[in-house]
Amino acid sequence: MHGTLTELNAYPLKSGGGTALRSAALTPRGLPFDREFMLVGPGGRFLSQREFARMALLRPSYDGEVLTVHAPGAAPLVHKAVDDGEVLDVFIQRKECLGVDQGEEAAAWFRELLGDDCRLVRFTGHRATSRGGGEVMFADGYPLLVISAESLADLNTRLDAPLPMNRFRPSLVLEGLGPYGEDDVRLLRVGDAVIEMVKPCSRCLITTTDQETAERGREPLRTLATYRTRDRGIQFGYNAVPRALGTLTIGDEIEILEAR
């Protein structure tokens, strides 16, 4: 079976909006700069849309040197990333890793916006995935999230109002696998890169947050729970790890190298 790569999305700031890409060089940690930055509260615990739905309204971009973040009603943050700040112990899903504090000016901008004490940190060190032998920065667990366009199309036939793909925050969107075809693939070639699908993605409250308004509802979790509950989680999409690096470009052909 063959198909096409239709979307590429990186998320420079964990739980901020995505950056749509036309082309990107795949790295061992996924798409360039993906989740390189993160907000943490006192004690180093990561902050996300789970607690602060308005983080959905943040629109970050990063060129490898300067992080720019736009938000409604605020002057943009333009921050030159630093690698010589204090190294903090930070925690993602109760697992420890390291982040370089990005200074008081950036922290004050986010504190004013969120109304809560926080710091901006930049990833440093090494963080392994729990399965598959991959690497990751500040993503919850894996460097890539893959979703079939037909999976969303099928879900939308079950909803009163269709939802956009950005509710699920994928790295790669593929067309041609069929509904939930990502579940049946182990090894996939995308352009000249190869990725391994290693773990179904269990979905959380963030999927119920409108990424344009930050309003929160009950869908799609209520509907997904009726037919996509597996292993005590509501699953939609698949976590993946790069196996052969290469450049990904919208329109690239995809090829199943190994099915489950």
Side-chain angles (χ1 to χ4, degrees):
M1 182 185 293
H2 295 265
T4 305
L5 175 65
T6 60
E7 284 187 36
L8 273 176
N9 302 292
Y11 304 85
L13 174 65
K14 184 178 179 67
S15 252
T19 299
L21 306 172
R22 293 294 306 171
S23 184
L26 187 63
T27 79
R29 294 171 170 174
L31 297 178
F33 316 130
D34 189 68
R35 277 85 168 191
E36 187 162 335
F37 295 88
M38 179 172 73
L39 294 176
V40 297
R45 186 182 63 84
F46 81 103
L47 305 184
S48 79
Q49 290 183 37
R50 296 172 181 89
E51 302 85 12
F52 297 94
R54 58 191 176 277
M55 287 183 69
L57 305 180
L58 300 177
R59 295 292 178 265
S61 61
Y62 182 55
D63 62 5
E65 294 185 2
V66 176
L67 174 70
T68 302
V69 186
H70 293 269
L77 172 70
V78 180
H79 169 72
K80 190 175 190 311
V82 300
D83 56 13
D84 59 353
E86 182 182 1
V87 177
L88 305 178
D89 294 326
V90 298
F91 297 87
I92 301 173
Q93 310 294 11
R94 298 184 295 278
K95 293 184 179 180
E96 186 175 355
C97 53
L98 300 175
V100 178
D101 190 284
Q102 294 297 290
E104 183 55 35
E105 184 178 346
W109 190 88
F110 284 106
R111 279 200 304 269
E112 177 70 20
L113 196 71
L114 298 181
D116 208 279
D117 190 17
C118 61
R119 308 292 298 182
L120 178 69
V121 297
R122 182 186 184 192
F123 182 82
T124 190
H126 176 79
R127 185 168 167 242
T129 59
S130 57
R131 297 186 195 175
E135 301 177 44
V136 67
M137 287 199 279
F138 286 139
D140 276 359
Y142 293 88
L144 297 171
L145 173 61
V146 180
I147 298 178
S148 165
E150 293 91 344
S151 299
L152 178 62
D154 179 79
L155 169 61
N156 279 335
T157 66
R158 305 165 189 261
L159 298 174
D160 292 335
L163 296 177
M165 186 63 84
N166 67 7
R167 285 291 186 98
F168 302 96
R169 302 171 62 78
S171 312
L172 282 68
V173 178
L174 310 179
E175 196 168 273
L177 295 180
Y180 316 105
E182 61 268 44
D183 295 350
D184 301 322
V185 177
R186 194 185 77 79
L187 213 56
L188 187 70
R189 186 185 305 279
V190 185
D192 55 358
V194 176
I195 62 175
E196 182 179 355
M197 316 284 261
V198 297
K199 182 181 181 295
C201 184
S202 295
R203 309 313 306 221
C204 71
L205 189 66
I206 290 177
T207 62
T208 68
T209 307
D210 189 313
Q211 298 295 296
E212 304 303 324
T213 67
E215 294 178 359
R216 189 164 277 165
R218 298 182 65 185
E219 296 292 6
L221 291 183
R222 179 172 62 176
T223 294
L224 284 170
T226 65
Y227 74 106
R228 292 290 298 175
T229 299
R230 294 173 171 83
D231 300 325
R232 295 176 294 177
I234 299 171
Q235 296 178 0
F236 190 86
Y238 230 90
N239 294 299
V241 170
R243 292 302 183 216
L245 305 182
T247 298
L248 305 178
T249 303
I250 297 298
D252 275 349
E253 184 178 88
I254 61 175
E255 178 187 0
I256 296 174
L257 301 179
E258 186 177 331
R260 293 191 187 281

